[in-house]
Amino acid sequence: MSSRDQFASKIGFILAAAGSAIGLGAIWKFPYMAGTNGGSVFIFLFILCTVFIGLPILIAEFMIGRRGQLDPINSFKAQAPSKPWYMIGWLGLVACGLILSFYSVVGGWILSYLFRAISMSLTGQGLDFAALFGEIISNPVEVLMAQGAFMLLTLLIVQAGIKGGIEVASKWMMPLLFIFFILLFIRSITLDGAMEGIKFMFVPDWSYLNAKTLLLALGQAFFSLSVGVSAMITYSSYLPRTENIVSSARNVAIMNIAISILAGLVIFPAVFALGYSPEQGPGLVFIMIPAVFEQLPMGGLFLIIFFILLLFATITSSIALLEVVVSIGVGKKTQARKRASWLFATIIFIVGIPSALSYGIMSDFTIMGKNFFDFADYLTNSIMMPIGALLISLFAGFHYSKKISQEEFQSSPFLFKTWLLIVRYIAPIAIIVILVRQAFA
Ligand code: PHE
């Protein structure tokens, strides 16, 4: 992305933005969060938070990024000189770095699984997939090597730049992933006892309706839409003015919800049909996916393809995370891009080491009762992202005059009024209430 590169096409931008959004959030995190938080109620709240809070703030990020055409910090500085709004950019930098530090650990798990799939050691009757997952993530040498390899892949793509790397990768991977999920869904839903999983997803158990679930659902909506940490500000800074940001944001949100639900529809019927517990935590997808493929003819082959696709989905998100850090680190000195990418990737790798070891030799090391991995996740998801989203919402709602935001909005007056009401009042109040209630829960 030397100087100010731009996206080559509208579909390219939507796919890249969707690629940044759709990743581990929808496929890995959503199912296990739903699994450990009562299923249906969490899913319902997640959709609500996505549509009424996440989407409007995503539109705000697109607006800010496209107007600024700079990295987040300089963008806020240019649009609000001598005001402290640029701190949002700093928050984004720290949050994206921290997210990537544990995101790359999970990326490493995917590489581990991919290698095992290729060497055929994930197939064969009677494998205990839960035990296998435990073995993989607790092996210190393997997790660190895999995490390093994943960071290296991310780094190489970020260096290739917008058109060459991100856009091309996103273009063919997303549709393929979709088709694969549908195939898996068909297998999963036709297993004996699958209906229990559907009930788990859609028949509400209201006892889970509380502030904690709501904060987790909100955090999940932000995380999986990539909202609140300036990632979408960064991407849309490469966006030409002719694009309609409202429809782009809507498409991203729809695809994201669809993939999340689809991932759930693959996982939960199989969980119940094959006698697993939905409360496996971070291992859920890694345990259930091989278990479902085992039920398919040529499962071993499909499993390889699946992990390749999952790897792509993950990388299109990890490059967004690294891109935020690099674009800020480089600022206007774009010739320093290469060195900066290496430097930041190395720092993030080092920060991620305790997360990588959290399920093995460092499992006794806890902060606030959480291992390092969970702590980094909690800090970013439940604190930094909501605060970032809150500030971005206020910036778009109040710093921009109504005339400016209406011009940028390029959509119907009714939608504009609704959006303005949300970013000015509804989203900020909701985020504050949820944060405060959670703090005193
Ligand atoms: N949305 C990405 C995912 O779901 C994660 C992400 C968060 C990416 C924030 C960029 C910024 O996997």
Side-chain angles (χ1 to χ4, degrees), residues 143-348:
V143 284
L144 287 180
M145 275 175 51
Q147 181 203 4
F150 181 83
M151 276 308 288
L152 191 65
L153 275 175
T154 303
L155 171 70
L156 293 177
I157 300 189
V158 166
Q159 286 191 344
I162 280 278
K163 277 186 214 128
I166 302 176
E167 198 169 341
V168 175
S170 307
K171 234 177 207 165
W172 56 271
M173 172 241 108
M174 303 275 301
L176 263 181
L177 192 71
F178 220 89
I179 295 171
F180 240 75
F181 265 124
I182 296 202
L183 182 85
L184 285 177
F185 166 60
I186 295 171
R187 173 67 274 202
S188 194
I189 193 75
T190 48
L191 292 168
D192 269 349
M195 279 327 274
E196 278 308 305
I198 301 294
K199 276 194 207 143
F200 179 75
M201 284 182 73
F202 298 110
V203 180
D205 171 356
W206 295 113
S207 65
Y208 282 93
L209 188 62
N210 53 40
K212 178 173 167 254
T213 316
L214 191 53
L215 178 66
L216 291 174
L218 184 71
Q220 175 64 25
F222 289 158
F223 185 80
S224 67
L225 278 180
S226 310
V227 152
V229 291
S230 296
M232 292 302 198
I233 296 183
T234 308
Y235 266 31
S236 53
S237 73
Y238 302 103
L239 191 63
R241 290 205 51 85
T242 43
E243 296 308 327
N244 184 301
I245 52 178
V246 174
S247 70
S248 302
R250 188 197 52 209
N251 289 340
V252 170
I254 291 175
M255 283 191 259
N256 195 45
I257 292 178
I259 290 272
S260 300
I261 299 290
L262 209 48
L265 285 173
V266 171
I267 305 283
F268 290 116
V271 162
F272 287 89
L274 303 177
Y276 286 84
S277 146
E279 304 199 8
Q280 305 277 347
L284 186 64
V285 170
F286 290 96
I287 296 166
M288 293 316 301
I289 290 289
V292 176
F293 276 105
E294 196 172 58
Q295 310 285 324
L296 276 176
M298 296 210 301
L301 178 67
F302 283 136
L303 194 57
I304 297 173
I305 303 175
F306 178 82
F307 277 118
I308 292 176
L309 291 175
L310 183 57
L311 183 66
F312 268 108
T314 307
I315 286 187
T316 51
S317 302
S318 63
I319 52 184
L321 290 162
L322 187 59
E323 175 61 32
V324 175
V325 178
V326 170
S327 81
I328 292 178
V330 171
K332 291 174 183 161
K333 299 190 290 287
T334 43
Q335 72 279 14
R337 193 178 170 86
K338 204 164 192 159
R339 256 209 336 250
S341 322
W342 276 100
L343 176 71
F344 288 118
T346 310
I347 296 174
I348 291 169

